[in-house]
Amino acid sequence: MCRNIRTLHNFEPPATTDEVDAAALQYVRKIAGAAKPSQANAEVFERAVAAVAEATRELLDGLTTTAPPKDREVEAAKARARAELRYAR
């Protein structure tokens, strides 16, 4: 599950709220060991996702770098090229 969590720091445009929330959800799913919580655990699961998302936003807001921001389209093209090599038959 955590393979879907992507680097969010130092991109132009910056990470969106949806991207941060998706990463938080994937993290909590991995830790909990379940893609969807039971009804009994739904509330604590959602609180954990919100807490992780807030911590992620705080981290991203506080990080600094001197490196130029990466272009999302260029990085996506690189990832597609790596996947083609990895999964070529």
Side-chain angles (χ1 to χ4, degrees):
M1 283 186 258
C2 280
R3 288 179 287 188
N4 295 330
I5 297 176
R6 304 287 182 234
T7 300
L8 299 177
H9 175 60
N10 199 29
F11 277 98
E12 191 58 45
T16 65
T17 299
D18 287 343
E19 289 173 312
V20 170
D21 291 345
L25 177 61
Q26 287 296 327
Y27 177 78
V28 172
R29 283 177 173 173
K30 182 65 171 188
I31 297 302
K36 184 175 181 186
S38 66
Q39 287 182 349
N41 293 323
E43 184 179 333
V44 71
F45 190 90
E46 291 302 319
R47 282 197 319 259
V49 171
V52 170
E54 180 58 33
T56 301
R57 285 184 202 96
E58 186 177 324
L59 173 65
L60 291 174
D61 290 344
L63 291 173
T64 61
T65 184
T66 58
K70 295 177 246 174
D71 183 283
R72 289 182 181 280
E73 294 302 319
V74 170
E75 295 301 316
K78 287 179 188 177
R80 282 190 297 275
R82 285 190 305 269
E84 284 180 20
L85 290 175
R86 183 179 310 132
Y87 301 114
R89 292 185 183 238

